[in-house]
Each structure stands twice: as C-alpha cells, then as structure tokens.
C-alpha cells in the first residue's frame, strides 16, 4: 500500500518503513499494466542477490571531482546523491528568460561545434556546394564567381568555429552556474532513511517498483537499451493528465551488464542493512549513515575515509582512464545471470508475470541481429539470517 504520510523516525536514524532486503513485506498480486503495452521490456532485473559492483559511470565519474572542489562545504545539499536521498529532479533558481537563452545557446554551441557536433558536416556541405558551384560556372557562356561561392565555406566554418569556442567555454565554466542556479530536489527522490520514493503524486515504498531493461529501436534500425524503474501497481500511481506510468530512468553508459550494475547499486543504496555504495559522490557522507559508519569503523571498507578524493586529486586523466577501462571490463565479466529474484517471496504472482532473463547476460545486446535466448531464473528461497555485507574494492586503485 502506498504511503502518503511521513513515517515515524526511530532513535537509530532509520524509520520503520526503511527498506531491508531480508524484510520485504507481503504484497498484493501484480496487476497487468496496460500502460506498458507496446514497449519492449526485454527483461526484469532481480531483487536481492547483490554482487556489490557499481556501474563504471558512477565508480569513475568524469565530473565528480570538479563539482566537489567548486561547491566545497555546501556539497552535501547541492549534489544529486547524499546519505539521505538520491534525487531525480533539479529545482532551478532561474527565471524563464535565462532558461530560454540557455536553451538556444546550448543548441547552437553543441549543434554547430567541431567537437562532438555537426561542425565538420556543415562545413563539408558548404565546401561541396562551393566546389559544385565553381565547376558549374565553367560550363556557362559568361562564367562568374560570386562572393557567395567563396564566402560560403568561410562563413559556415567561422560560425562553427564560434560554436566550438562557446561549447568549450560552457563545458569549462558550466560548474560555476551549478551552485547558484541548480538545486537537487528533496521532493522527487529515492530516500534511504525512509525506504520511500518521493514523487509529486505521493510517496511509494521502494519495493513497489520493478527494474527493467528496455530496448528502443532507432530510425536506422539501431537498438538502444536503458534502465527503467517502473511502479508495479499503476492503479495506485496514476499520473494526472497523462497515460504514462510512474517510472524513473537512470543514465548508465556501456553494456547490458552496466545496467545490471546500476540496479545492484541502487538496491544497496536503499537497503539499510547494507553500507552505502562505495562511489565518489557519496564518500563525503559515509560517516553520516549509521550502517555505513559502523561498517567503516569495523575496518570492512578497506579504504581510508578520503580514498576517492585523494585518488582523483593525485591521479592524471590517463591514469583515471586506465582505471575506468579496467573497471568496465570487471563489470562486463561479472556473473550477473542465474540469480534468484527475492521479490517472488513477497508478490504471489510475481514469477508468473515475467520470470525469464537472457541466458548470457554479458553477451546480450552486443549482437542485435541475433535473437537472444531467454531462460527461467532459479526459484527464490527465503534469506537465511542477516544479509552479508557487500562492498566492491577496486584492486586497480591506489
């Protein structure tokens, strides 16, 4: 049942509704979600059975250290993730004129830039048109070479050059707008202490959501996979003025295995029987979470308190890139398949609704032209005792 009121906080810091994988309550039957018809939800990811591996996007973030350095003492409130909540919405302190101007600025600088944009394409088209126009003039009785033919490539190239400069300046100084204009919302977030997912239409228990890998097909037949978290009981979470289900997306780069790792990380973040995931964004707040503090003080983390901060401060980009690639290989080679789904023990018809998974998780999606084989998951058994601590230590780091 969805919880609309704030639960009672116990002396230990977590509320009575805090999520624990070994104490998922019994729930009602999972209904057929008509809002999901027509979508390619290729597999549903399992609850529990943690591997303790984080996705590379979060384990080795490109932007984390720059944000941490610039924001300084206010990092706790201005970061997307802390020990209390994993925010999914940004509340900007900016007027509409600024938003409109920034929108067109980003469109121009990113679309026409030579770096990562279409600058070379537009300039190439201009050169082609100029060459064709010049050659064409050789076959007329009175050839003329208007300034447009010569000036077009120069003009387009100049515009793209300006866009490239603006994009470079934006990427270098964007962080300066972070603290003054962006505030991560506490009202649209995954909350560890309460076990609730806060939304604009109410608060819902974390265990009422299911994780899926969704496949979308591009215009040229290319396939894209993404990680979606969708509310299991749509009749309790109808979004106003829309037929869309209540769902969340998590951006993760890389293979299907990286999406599995994202789900593993999110579960451990919400599970108060587990320490917080050992990723740079949360490191400054580990001592503020009771389970994590006890875990670290017992020496189980195996790293000093400022491990990630020191690593980023003292490593070159080439060293970080090597660590990033080594970790990516670790994620891709982990045994993600063949694990039971503990939610089967709490939702009566859960196994019948979608029980299959790719036979080879690590190879699935790499060869879109091949039909992947799906197999049944092992049946779940009740957890025996307390869930073991899982924390992944990267041997490649110093």
């Amino acid at each position: 049942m969805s919880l609309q009121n704030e639960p009672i906080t116990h002396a230990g810091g977590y509320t009575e509704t805090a999520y624990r994988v070994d104490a998922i309550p019994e729930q009602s039957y999972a209904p057929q979600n008509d809002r999901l018809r027509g979508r390619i939800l290729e597999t549903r990811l399992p609850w529990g059975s943690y591997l303790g591996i984080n996705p590379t996007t979060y384990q080795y973030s490109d932007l984390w250290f720059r944000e941490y350095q610039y924001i300084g003492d206010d990092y706790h409130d201005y970061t997307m993730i802390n020990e209390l909540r994993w925010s999914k919405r940004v509340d900007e302190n900016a007027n509409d004129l600024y938003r409109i101007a920034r929108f067109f600025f980003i469109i121009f600088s990113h679309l026409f830039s030579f770096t990562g944009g279409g600058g070379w394409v537009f300039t190439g088209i201009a050169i082609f048109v100029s060459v064709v126009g010049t050659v064409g003039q050789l076959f007329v009785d009175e050839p003329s070479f208007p300034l447009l033919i010569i000036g077009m490539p120069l003009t387009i190239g100049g515009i793209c050059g300006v866009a490239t400069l603006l994009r470079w300046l934006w990427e270098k100084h964007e962080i300066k707008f972070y603290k003054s204009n962006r505030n991560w919302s506490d009202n649209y977030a995954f909350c560890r202490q309460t076990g609730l997912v806060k939304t604009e239409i109410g608060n819902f228990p974390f265990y009422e959501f299911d994780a899926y890998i969704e496949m979308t097909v591009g215009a040229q037949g290319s396939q894209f996979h993404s990680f979606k978290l969708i509310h299991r009981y749509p009749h309790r979470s109808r979004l106003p003025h829309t037929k869309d289900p209540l769902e969340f997306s998590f951006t993760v780069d890389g293979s299907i295995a990286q999406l599995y790792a994202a789900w593993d990380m999110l579960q451990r973040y919400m599970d108060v029987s587990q320490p917080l995931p050992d990723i740079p964004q949360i490191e400054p707040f580990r001592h503020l979470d009771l389970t994590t503090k006890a875990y670290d003080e017992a020496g189980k983390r195996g790293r000093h308190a400022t491990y990630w901060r020191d690593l980023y401060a003292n490593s070159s980009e080439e060293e970080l890139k090597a660590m990033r690639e080594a970790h990516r290989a670790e994620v891709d080679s982990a045994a993600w398949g063949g694990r039971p789904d503990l939610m089967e023990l709490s939702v009566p018809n859960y196994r019948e609704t979608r029980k299959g998974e790719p036979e080879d998780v690590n190879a699935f999606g790499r060869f879109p032209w091949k039909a992947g084989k799906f197999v049944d998951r092992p049946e779940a058994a009740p957890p025996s005792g307390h869930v073991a601590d899982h924390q992944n230590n990267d041997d490649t780091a110093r």
Side-chain angles (χ1 to χ4, degrees), residues 220-248:
Q220 304 299 323
S222 54
Q223 297 181 5
F224 304 93
H225 293 88
S226 57
F227 171 43
K228 302 287 186 179
L229 202 66
I230 304 175
H231 191 240
R232 187 183 309 123
Y233 303 103
H235 57 288
R236 301 177 186 168
S237 57
R238 298 185 186 278
L239 294 178
H241 314 301
T242 179
K243 294 182 179 180
D244 296 332
L246 177 60
E247 66 178 68
F248 296 87

mmCIF file of all heavy atoms in Angstrom, residues 220-248:
data_model
loop_
_atom_site.group_PDB
_atom_site.id
_atom_site.type_symbol
_atom_site.label_atom_id
_atom_site.label_comp_id
_atom_site.label_asym_id
_atom_site.label_seq_id
_atom_site.Cartn_x
_atom_site.Cartn_y
_atom_site.Cartn_z
ATOM 1 N N GLN A 220 17.288 4.133 -37.974
ATOM 2 C CA GLN A 220 18.086 3.326 -38.887
ATOM 3 C C GLN A 220 18.143 1.853 -38.467
ATOM 4 O O GLN A 220 18.964 1.096 -38.987
ATOM 5 C CB GLN A 220 19.515 3.896 -38.956
ATOM 6 C CG GLN A 220 19.583 5.361 -39.358
ATOM 7 C CD GLN A 220 19.012 5.598 -40.738
ATOM 8 O OE1 GLN A 220 19.186 4.769 -41.638
ATOM 9 N NE2 GLN A 220 18.340 6.725 -40.923
ATOM 10 N N GLY A 221 17.293 1.462 -37.537
ATOM 11 C CA GLY A 221 17.279 0.078 -37.082
ATOM 12 C C GLY A 221 18.230 -0.210 -35.936
ATOM 13 O O GLY A 221 18.319 -1.354 -35.475
ATOM 14 N N SER A 222 18.963 0.811 -35.467
ATOM 15 C CA SER A 222 19.874 0.612 -34.343
ATOM 16 C C SER A 222 19.081 0.400 -33.054
ATOM 17 O O SER A 222 17.968 0.906 -32.907
ATOM 18 C CB SER A 222 20.807 1.809 -34.195
ATOM 19 O OG SER A 222 20.059 3.007 -34.114
ATOM 20 N N GLN A 223 19.668 -0.364 -32.137
ATOM 21 C CA GLN A 223 18.991 -0.705 -30.892
ATOM 22 C C GLN A 223 19.686 -0.034 -29.710
ATOM 23 O O GLN A 223 20.917 0.025 -29.646
ATOM 24 C CB GLN A 223 18.974 -2.221 -30.700
ATOM 25 C CG GLN A 223 18.191 -2.961 -31.782
ATOM 26 C CD GLN A 223 18.181 -4.463 -31.556
ATOM 27 O OE1 GLN A 223 18.682 -4.951 -30.548
ATOM 28 N NE2 GLN A 223 17.615 -5.197 -32.495
ATOM 29 N N PHE A 224 18.871 0.450 -28.768
ATOM 30 C CA PHE A 224 19.397 1.095 -27.580
ATOM 31 C C PHE A 224 18.738 0.466 -26.356
ATOM 32 O O PHE A 224 17.529 0.224 -26.349
ATOM 33 C CB PHE A 224 19.118 2.594 -27.612
ATOM 34 C CG PHE A 224 19.637 3.295 -28.838
ATOM 35 C CD1 PHE A 224 18.822 3.469 -29.946
ATOM 36 C CD2 PHE A 224 20.940 3.761 -28.887
ATOM 37 C CE1 PHE A 224 19.290 4.111 -31.079
ATOM 38 C CE2 PHE A 224 21.416 4.400 -30.018
ATOM 39 C CZ PHE A 224 20.596 4.574 -31.118
ATOM 40 N N HIS A 225 19.518 0.221 -25.332
ATOM 41 C CA HIS A 225 18.995 -0.351 -24.094
ATOM 42 C C HIS A 225 19.127 0.663 -22.968
ATOM 43 O O HIS A 225 20.126 1.384 -22.879
ATOM 44 C CB HIS A 225 19.750 -1.632 -23.730
ATOM 45 C CG HIS A 225 19.509 -2.757 -24.684
ATOM 46 N ND1 HIS A 225 20.274 -2.943 -25.828
ATOM 47 C CD2 HIS A 225 18.579 -3.746 -24.695
ATOM 48 C CE1 HIS A 225 19.834 -4.010 -26.482
ATOM 49 N NE2 HIS A 225 18.813 -4.504 -25.814
ATOM 50 N N SER A 226 18.121 0.719 -22.112
ATOM 51 C CA SER A 226 18.123 1.654 -20.999
ATOM 52 C C SER A 226 17.556 0.979 -19.760
ATOM 53 O O SER A 226 16.872 -0.047 -19.836
ATOM 54 C CB SER A 226 17.313 2.907 -21.344
ATOM 55 O OG SER A 226 15.985 2.566 -21.696
ATOM 56 N N PHE A 227 17.863 1.565 -18.608
ATOM 57 C CA PHE A 227 17.434 1.032 -17.310
ATOM 58 C C PHE A 227 16.233 1.832 -16.828
ATOM 59 O O PHE A 227 16.309 3.049 -16.662
ATOM 60 C CB PHE A 227 18.602 1.137 -16.323
ATOM 61 C CG PHE A 227 18.232 0.828 -14.897
ATOM 62 C CD1 PHE A 227 17.405 -0.239 -14.580
ATOM 63 C CD2 PHE A 227 18.728 1.593 -13.850
ATOM 64 C CE1 PHE A 227 17.069 -0.527 -13.268
ATOM 65 C CE2 PHE A 227 18.414 1.321 -12.532
ATOM 66 C CZ PHE A 227 17.577 0.259 -12.245
ATOM 67 N N LYS A 228 15.102 1.149 -16.622
ATOM 68 C CA LYS A 228 13.867 1.787 -16.191
ATOM 69 C C LYS A 228 13.392 1.175 -14.876
ATOM 70 O O LYS A 228 13.454 -0.049 -14.698
ATOM 71 C CB LYS A 228 12.765 1.605 -17.238
ATOM 72 C CG LYS A 228 13.101 2.149 -18.621
ATOM 73 C CD LYS A 228 13.072 3.663 -18.656
ATOM 74 C CE LYS A 228 13.265 4.166 -20.075
ATOM 75 N NZ LYS A 228 13.218 5.641 -20.147
ATOM 76 N N LEU A 229 12.914 2.023 -13.998
ATOM 77 C CA LEU A 229 12.304 1.568 -12.750
ATOM 78 C C LEU A 229 10.844 1.988 -12.784
ATOM 79 O O LEU A 229 10.534 3.184 -12.802
ATOM 80 C CB LEU A 229 13.028 2.190 -11.552
ATOM 81 C CG LEU A 229 12.884 1.438 -10.235
ATOM 82 C CD1 LEU A 229 13.556 0.089 -10.310
ATOM 83 C CD2 LEU A 229 13.474 2.246 -9.087
ATOM 84 N N ILE A 230 9.921 1.007 -12.801
ATOM 85 C CA ILE A 230 8.505 1.262 -13.065
ATOM 86 C C ILE A 230 7.660 0.791 -11.879
ATOM 87 O O ILE A 230 7.874 -0.314 -11.356
ATOM 88 C CB ILE A 230 8.055 0.550 -14.352
ATOM 89 C CG1 ILE A 230 8.947 0.979 -15.525
ATOM 90 C CG2 ILE A 230 6.591 0.827 -14.659
ATOM 91 C CD1 ILE A 230 8.668 0.240 -16.820
ATOM 92 N N HIS A 231 6.687 1.602 -11.477
ATOM 93 C CA HIS A 231 5.828 1.239 -10.353
ATOM 94 C C HIS A 231 4.954 0.045 -10.731
ATOM 95 O O HIS A 231 4.342 0.018 -11.783
ATOM 96 C CB HIS A 231 4.963 2.432 -9.942
ATOM 97 C CG HIS A 231 4.268 2.224 -8.647
ATOM 98 N ND1 HIS A 231 2.895 2.238 -8.512
ATOM 99 C CD2 HIS A 231 4.762 1.981 -7.398
ATOM 100 C CE1 HIS A 231 2.573 2.024 -7.245
ATOM 101 N NE2 HIS A 231 3.675 1.865 -6.548
ATOM 102 N N ARG A 232 4.916 -0.936 -9.840
ATOM 103 C CA ARG A 232 4.245 -2.204 -10.129
ATOM 104 C C ARG A 232 2.717 -2.085 -10.082
ATOM 105 O O ARG A 232 2.017 -2.890 -10.708
ATOM 106 C CB ARG A 232 4.709 -3.254 -9.109
ATOM 107 C CG ARG A 232 4.226 -4.672 -9.400
ATOM 108 C CD ARG A 232 4.670 -5.636 -8.307
ATOM 109 N NE ARG A 232 6.093 -5.524 -8.051
ATOM 110 C CZ ARG A 232 6.610 -5.243 -6.844
ATOM 111 N NH1 ARG A 232 5.812 -5.065 -5.801
ATOM 112 N NH2 ARG A 232 7.924 -5.147 -6.678
ATOM 113 N N TYR A 233 2.200 -1.132 -9.341
ATOM 114 C CA TYR A 233 0.754 -1.015 -9.131
ATOM 115 C C TYR A 233 0.245 0.296 -9.727
ATOM 116 O O TYR A 233 0.073 1.295 -8.995
ATOM 117 C CB TYR A 233 0.452 -1.090 -7.630
ATOM 118 C CG TYR A 233 0.974 -2.356 -6.988
ATOM 119 C CD1 TYR A 233 2.146 -2.333 -6.223
ATOM 120 C CD2 TYR A 233 0.324 -3.574 -7.162
ATOM 121 C CE1 TYR A 233 2.639 -3.496 -5.643
ATOM 122 C CE2 TYR A 233 0.809 -4.735 -6.590
ATOM 123 C CZ TYR A 233 1.967 -4.699 -5.829
ATOM 124 O OH TYR A 233 2.456 -5.851 -5.268
ATOM 125 N N PRO A 234 0.006 0.344 -11.026
ATOM 126 C CA PRO A 234 -0.348 1.606 -11.691
ATOM 127 C C PRO A 234 -1.667 2.199 -11.217
ATOM 128 O O PRO A 234 -1.866 3.411 -11.327
ATOM 129 C CB PRO A 234 -0.420 1.212 -13.167
ATOM 130 C CG PRO A 234 -0.670 -0.266 -13.168
ATOM 131 C CD PRO A 234 0.053 -0.793 -11.970
ATOM 132 N N HIS A 235 -2.577 1.363 -10.680
ATOM 133 C CA HIS A 235 -3.848 1.902 -10.204
ATOM 134 C C HIS A 235 -3.666 2.758 -8.949
ATOM 135 O O HIS A 235 -4.564 3.497 -8.558
ATOM 136 C CB HIS A 235 -4.827 0.762 -9.919
ATOM 137 C CG HIS A 235 -4.322 -0.251 -8.946
ATOM 138 N ND1 HIS A 235 -3.323 -1.150 -9.252
ATOM 139 C CD2 HIS A 235 -4.679 -0.510 -7.658
ATOM 140 C CE1 HIS A 235 -3.077 -1.916 -8.196
ATOM 141 N NE2 HIS A 235 -3.889 -1.552 -7.226
ATOM 142 N N ARG A 236 -2.496 2.679 -8.317
ATOM 143 C CA ARG A 236 -2.214 3.495 -7.136
ATOM 144 C C ARG A 236 -1.362 4.716 -7.475
ATOM 145 O O ARG A 236 -1.108 5.544 -6.589
ATOM 146 C CB ARG A 236 -1.478 2.656 -6.087
ATOM 147 C CG ARG A 236 -2.237 1.429 -5.617
ATOM 148 C CD ARG A 236 -1.387 0.637 -4.652
ATOM 149 N NE ARG A 236 -2.015 -0.628 -4.276
ATOM 150 C CZ ARG A 236 -1.385 -1.598 -3.628
ATOM 151 N NH1 ARG A 236 -0.111 -1.438 -3.282
ATOM 152 N NH2 ARG A 236 -2.016 -2.720 -3.325
ATOM 153 N N SER A 237 -0.875 4.779 -8.680
ATOM 154 C CA SER A 237 0.060 5.862 -9.020
ATOM 155 C C SER A 237 -0.266 6.461 -10.379
ATOM 156 O O SER A 237 0.616 6.612 -11.224
ATOM 157 C CB SER A 237 1.501 5.328 -9.023
ATOM 158 O OG SER A 237 1.628 4.232 -9.925
ATOM 159 N N ARG A 238 -1.498 6.763 -10.603
ATOM 160 C CA ARG A 238 -1.892 7.355 -11.881
ATOM 161 C C ARG A 238 -1.404 8.796 -11.959
ATOM 162 O O ARG A 238 -1.748 9.628 -11.134
ATOM 163 C CB ARG A 238 -3.416 7.313 -12.039
ATOM 164 C CG ARG A 238 -3.986 5.903 -12.054
ATOM 165 C CD ARG A 238 -5.486 5.918 -12.334
ATOM 166 N NE ARG A 238 -6.067 4.594 -12.223
ATOM 167 C CZ ARG A 238 -6.036 3.686 -13.180
ATOM 168 N NH1 ARG A 238 -5.438 3.976 -14.330
ATOM 169 N NH2 ARG A 238 -6.589 2.495 -13.012
ATOM 170 N N LEU A 239 -0.619 9.077 -12.973
ATOM 171 C CA LEU A 239 -0.140 10.435 -13.159
ATOM 172 C C LEU A 239 -1.270 11.298 -13.718
ATOM 173 O O LEU A 239 -1.978 10.882 -14.630
ATOM 174 C CB LEU A 239 1.046 10.460 -14.124
ATOM 175 C CG LEU A 239 2.329 9.760 -13.636
ATOM 176 C CD1 LEU A 239 3.393 9.820 -14.716
ATOM 177 C CD2 LEU A 239 2.840 10.395 -12.363
ATOM 178 N N PRO A 240 -1.468 12.489 -13.200
ATOM 179 C CA PRO A 240 -2.554 13.350 -13.697
ATOM 180 C C PRO A 240 -2.296 13.819 -15.123
ATOM 181 O O PRO A 240 -1.164 14.119 -15.493
ATOM 182 C CB PRO A 240 -2.537 14.526 -12.709
ATOM 183 C CG PRO A 240 -1.144 14.544 -12.155
ATOM 184 C CD PRO A 240 -0.706 13.121 -12.108
ATOM 185 N N HIS A 241 -3.364 13.844 -15.917
ATOM 186 C CA HIS A 241 -3.333 14.394 -17.274
ATOM 187 C C HIS A 241 -2.400 13.627 -18.214
ATOM 188 O O HIS A 241 -1.905 14.178 -19.187
ATOM 189 C CB HIS A 241 -2.929 15.876 -17.247
ATOM 190 C CG HIS A 241 -3.638 16.680 -16.214
ATOM 191 N ND1 HIS A 241 -5.019 16.803 -16.185
ATOM 192 C CD2 HIS A 241 -3.170 17.382 -15.142
ATOM 193 C CE1 HIS A 241 -5.366 17.560 -15.146
ATOM 194 N NE2 HIS A 241 -4.273 17.911 -14.498
ATOM 195 N N THR A 242 -2.126 12.375 -17.921
ATOM 196 C CA THR A 242 -1.279 11.584 -18.803
ATOM 197 C C THR A 242 -1.573 10.110 -18.604
ATOM 198 O O THR A 242 -2.069 9.692 -17.563
ATOM 199 C CB THR A 242 0.213 11.855 -18.543
ATOM 200 O OG1 THR A 242 0.998 11.032 -19.421
ATOM 201 C CG2 THR A 242 0.577 11.525 -17.107
ATOM 202 N N LYS A 243 -1.246 9.309 -19.597
ATOM 203 C CA LYS A 243 -1.397 7.861 -19.501
ATOM 204 C C LYS A 243 -0.070 7.175 -19.193
ATOM 205 O O LYS A 243 -0.001 5.946 -19.134
ATOM 206 C CB LYS A 243 -1.968 7.305 -20.811
ATOM 207 C CG LYS A 243 -3.390 7.767 -21.110
ATOM 208 C CD LYS A 243 -3.907 7.136 -22.385
ATOM 209 C CE LYS A 243 -5.347 7.577 -22.672
ATOM 210 N NZ LYS A 243 -5.869 6.957 -23.930
ATOM 211 N N ASP A 244 0.967 7.960 -18.994
ATOM 212 C CA ASP A 244 2.285 7.388 -18.746
ATOM 213 C C ASP A 244 2.345 6.784 -17.344
ATOM 214 O O ASP A 244 1.747 7.302 -16.398
ATOM 215 C CB ASP A 244 3.369 8.456 -18.880
ATOM 216 C CG ASP A 244 3.458 9.003 -20.296
ATOM 217 O OD1 ASP A 244 3.115 8.259 -21.225
ATOM 218 O OD2 ASP A 244 3.865 10.173 -20.461
ATOM 219 N N PRO A 245 3.085 5.681 -17.181
ATOM 220 C CA PRO A 245 3.244 5.089 -15.851
ATOM 221 C C PRO A 245 4.223 5.889 -15.013
ATOM 222 O O PRO A 245 5.007 6.698 -15.538
ATOM 223 C CB PRO A 245 3.800 3.693 -16.173
ATOM 224 C CG PRO A 245 4.554 3.886 -17.454
ATOM 225 C CD PRO A 245 3.776 4.911 -18.231
ATOM 226 N N LEU A 246 4.182 5.682 -13.724
ATOM 227 C CA LEU A 246 5.157 6.293 -12.829
ATOM 228 C C LEU A 246 6.461 5.514 -12.963
ATOM 229 O O LEU A 246 6.527 4.337 -12.604
ATOM 230 C CB LEU A 246 4.654 6.251 -11.393
ATOM 231 C CG LEU A 246 5.614 6.803 -10.326
ATOM 232 C CD1 LEU A 246 5.935 8.266 -10.588
ATOM 233 C CD2 LEU A 246 5.018 6.612 -8.932
ATOM 234 N N GLU A 247 7.474 6.152 -13.489
ATOM 235 C CA GLU A 247 8.729 5.454 -13.715
ATOM 236 C C GLU A 247 9.906 6.416 -13.619
ATOM 237 O O GLU A 247 9.745 7.638 -13.674
ATOM 238 C CB GLU A 247 8.742 4.770 -15.081
ATOM 239 C CG GLU A 247 8.705 5.722 -16.264
ATOM 240 C CD GLU A 247 8.777 4.967 -17.586
ATOM 241 O OE1 GLU A 247 7.807 4.260 -17.916
ATOM 242 O OE2 GLU A 247 9.804 5.099 -18.272
ATOM 243 N N PHE A 248 11.088 5.838 -13.470
ATOM 244 C CA PHE A 248 12.325 6.599 -13.385
ATOM 245 C C PHE A 248 13.347 5.982 -14.329
ATOM 246 O O PHE A 248 13.349 4.768 -14.548
ATOM 247 C CB PHE A 248 12.882 6.585 -11.957
ATOM 248 C CG PHE A 248 11.996 7.245 -10.948
ATOM 249 C CD1 PHE A 248 10.992 6.532 -10.316
ATOM 250 C CD2 PHE A 248 12.158 8.587 -10.640
ATOM 251 C CE1 PHE A 248 10.166 7.133 -9.387
ATOM 252 C CE2 PHE A 248 11.339 9.202 -9.708
ATOM 253 C CZ PHE A 248 10.342 8.479 -9.081
#
